PDB file of all heavy atoms in Angstrom:
ATOM      1  N   THR K 496     100.140 136.982 129.528  1.00  0.00           N
ATOM      2  CA  THR K 496      99.057 137.887 129.153  1.00  0.00           C
ATOM      3  C   THR K 496      99.249 138.311 127.703  1.00  0.00           C
ATOM      4  O   THR K 496     100.374 138.595 127.302  1.00  0.00           O
ATOM      5  CB  THR K 496      99.134 139.166 130.027  1.00  0.00           C
ATOM      6  OG1 THR K 496      98.965 138.780 131.373  1.00  0.00           O
ATOM      7  CG2 THR K 496      98.077 140.180 129.654  1.00  0.00           C
ATOM      8  N   LYS K 497      98.152 138.325 126.951  1.00  0.00           N
ATOM      9  CA  LYS K 497      98.263 138.852 125.583  1.00  0.00           C
ATOM     10  C   LYS K 497      97.894 140.326 125.556  1.00  0.00           C
ATOM     11  O   LYS K 497      98.480 141.105 124.830  1.00  0.00           O
ATOM     12  CB  LYS K 497      97.334 138.086 124.649  1.00  0.00           C
ATOM     13  CG  LYS K 497      97.805 136.678 124.324  1.00  0.00           C
ATOM     14  CD  LYS K 497      96.947 136.114 123.208  1.00  0.00           C
ATOM     15  CE  LYS K 497      96.895 134.607 123.246  1.00  0.00           C
ATOM     16  NZ  LYS K 497      95.781 134.084 122.458  1.00  0.00           N
ATOM     17  N   GLU K 498      96.872 140.657 126.327  1.00  0.00           N
ATOM     18  CA  GLU K 498      96.480 142.055 126.419  1.00  0.00           C
ATOM     19  C   GLU K 498      95.694 142.323 127.691  1.00  0.00           C
ATOM     20  O   GLU K 498      95.138 141.412 128.297  1.00  0.00           O
ATOM     21  CB  GLU K 498      95.678 142.497 125.189  1.00  0.00           C
ATOM     22  CG  GLU K 498      94.521 141.595 124.848  1.00  0.00           C
ATOM     23  CD  GLU K 498      93.772 142.033 123.588  1.00  0.00           C
ATOM     24  OE1 GLU K 498      94.253 142.908 122.864  1.00  0.00           O
ATOM     25  OE2 GLU K 498      92.680 141.476 123.369  1.00  0.00           O
ATOM     26  N   PHE K 499      95.691 143.568 128.083  1.00  0.00           N
ATOM     27  CA  PHE K 499      94.955 144.003 129.278  1.00  0.00           C
ATOM     28  C   PHE K 499      94.570 145.464 129.054  1.00  0.00           C
ATOM     29  O   PHE K 499      94.954 146.063 128.051  1.00  0.00           O
ATOM     30  CB  PHE K 499      95.825 143.830 130.543  1.00  0.00           C
ATOM     31  CG  PHE K 499      97.077 144.660 130.516  1.00  0.00           C
ATOM     32  CD1 PHE K 499      97.097 145.950 131.042  1.00  0.00           C
ATOM     33  CD2 PHE K 499      98.237 144.182 129.927  1.00  0.00           C
ATOM     34  CE1 PHE K 499      98.250 146.730 130.993  1.00  0.00           C
ATOM     35  CE2 PHE K 499      99.391 144.951 129.858  1.00  0.00           C
ATOM     36  CZ  PHE K 499      99.398 146.225 130.398  1.00  0.00           C
ATOM     37  N   ALA K 500      93.823 146.017 129.991  1.00  0.00           N
ATOM     38  CA  ALA K 500      93.366 147.396 129.781  1.00  0.00           C
ATOM     39  C   ALA K 500      93.589 148.250 131.025  1.00  0.00           C
ATOM     40  O   ALA K 500      93.812 147.727 132.123  1.00  0.00           O
ATOM     41  CB  ALA K 500      91.876 147.389 129.426  1.00  0.00           C
ATOM     42  N   ILE K 501      93.550 149.532 130.851  1.00  0.00           N
ATOM     43  CA  ILE K 501      93.514 150.490 131.977  1.00  0.00           C
ATOM     44  C   ILE K 501      93.259 151.899 131.414  1.00  0.00           C
ATOM     45  O   ILE K 501      93.454 152.140 130.227  1.00  0.00           O
ATOM     46  CB  ILE K 501      94.820 150.461 132.845  1.00  0.00           C
ATOM     47  CG1 ILE K 501      94.619 151.063 134.255  1.00  0.00           C
ATOM     48  CG2 ILE K 501      95.935 151.195 132.160  1.00  0.00           C
ATOM     49  CD1 ILE K 501      93.859 150.201 135.205  1.00  0.00           C
ATOM     50  N   TRP K 502      92.810 152.782 132.268  1.00  0.00           N
ATOM     51  CA  TRP K 502      92.704 154.205 131.936  1.00  0.00           C
ATOM     52  C   TRP K 502      93.989 154.852 132.438  1.00  0.00           C
ATOM     53  O   TRP K 502      94.835 154.180 133.025  1.00  0.00           O
ATOM     54  CB  TRP K 502      91.480 154.807 132.640  1.00  0.00           C
ATOM     55  CG  TRP K 502      91.379 154.282 134.022  1.00  0.00           C
ATOM     56  CD1 TRP K 502      91.978 154.789 135.142  1.00  0.00           C
ATOM     57  CD2 TRP K 502      90.724 153.080 134.424  1.00  0.00           C
ATOM     58  NE1 TRP K 502      91.718 153.963 136.214  1.00  0.00           N
ATOM     59  CE2 TRP K 502      90.958 152.925 135.804  1.00  0.00           C
ATOM     60  CE3 TRP K 502      89.963 152.102 133.748  1.00  0.00           C
ATOM     61  CZ2 TRP K 502      90.447 151.843 136.533  1.00  0.00           C
ATOM     62  CZ3 TRP K 502      89.464 151.032 134.484  1.00  0.00           C
ATOM     63  CH2 TRP K 502      89.702 150.909 135.852  1.00  0.00           C
ATOM     64  N   ASN K 503      94.083 156.163 132.286  1.00  0.00           N
ATOM     65  CA  ASN K 503      95.306 156.848 132.700  1.00  0.00           C
ATOM     66  C   ASN K 503      95.211 157.248 134.187  1.00  0.00           C
ATOM     67  O   ASN K 503      94.457 158.148 134.542  1.00  0.00           O
ATOM     68  CB  ASN K 503      95.507 158.083 131.819  1.00  0.00           C
ATOM     69  CG  ASN K 503      96.826 158.777 132.097  1.00  0.00           C
ATOM     70  OD1 ASN K 503      97.265 158.842 133.233  1.00  0.00           O
ATOM     71  ND2 ASN K 503      97.450 159.300 131.055  1.00  0.00           N
ATOM     72  N   PRO K 504      95.985 156.574 135.058  1.00  0.00           N
ATOM     73  CA  PRO K 504      95.881 156.871 136.498  1.00  0.00           C
ATOM     74  C   PRO K 504      96.415 158.263 136.852  1.00  0.00           C
ATOM     75  O   PRO K 504      95.988 158.851 137.855  1.00  0.00           O
ATOM     76  CB  PRO K 504      96.724 155.779 137.152  1.00  0.00           C
ATOM     77  CG  PRO K 504      97.652 155.298 136.086  1.00  0.00           C
ATOM     78  CD  PRO K 504      96.977 155.508 134.774  1.00  0.00           C
ATOM     79  N   ILE K 505      97.333 158.757 136.027  1.00  0.00           N
ATOM     80  CA  ILE K 505      97.884 160.103 136.284  1.00  0.00           C
ATOM     81  C   ILE K 505      96.773 161.136 136.088  1.00  0.00           C
ATOM     82  O   ILE K 505      96.563 162.026 136.919  1.00  0.00           O
ATOM     83  CB  ILE K 505      99.094 160.394 135.357  1.00  0.00           C
ATOM     84  CG1 ILE K 505     100.198 159.347 135.596  1.00  0.00           C
ATOM     85  CG2 ILE K 505      99.622 161.810 135.571  1.00  0.00           C
ATOM     86  CD1 ILE K 505     101.385 159.448 134.645  1.00  0.00           C
ATOM     87  N   ASP K 506      96.033 160.986 134.993  1.00  0.00           N
ATOM     88  CA  ASP K 506      94.912 161.907 134.732  1.00  0.00           C
ATOM     89  C   ASP K 506      93.855 161.822 135.830  1.00  0.00           C
ATOM     90  O   ASP K 506      93.224 162.824 136.180  1.00  0.00           O
ATOM     91  CB  ASP K 506      94.240 161.572 133.388  1.00  0.00           C
ATOM     92  CG  ASP K 506      95.119 161.920 132.202  1.00  0.00           C
ATOM     93  OD1 ASP K 506      96.161 162.587 132.395  1.00  0.00           O
ATOM     94  OD2 ASP K 506      94.762 161.523 131.065  1.00  0.00           O
ATOM     95  N   LEU K 507      93.650 160.618 136.351  1.00  0.00           N
ATOM     96  CA  LEU K 507      92.636 160.432 137.390  1.00  0.00           C
ATOM     97  C   LEU K 507      93.028 161.187 138.676  1.00  0.00           C
ATOM     98  O   LEU K 507      92.214 161.916 139.253  1.00  0.00           O
ATOM     99  CB  LEU K 507      92.467 158.933 137.677  1.00  0.00           C
ATOM    100  CG  LEU K 507      91.358 158.541 138.644  1.00  0.00           C
ATOM    101  CD1 LEU K 507      89.988 158.950 138.114  1.00  0.00           C
ATOM    102  CD2 LEU K 507      91.381 157.034 138.897  1.00  0.00           C
TER     103      LEU K 507
END
Side-chain angles (χ1 to χ4, degrees):
T496 298
K497 287 190 206 163
E498 51 182 11
F499 62 91
I501 200 74
W502 41 87
N503 185 323
I505 301 174
D506 290 350
L507 186 62

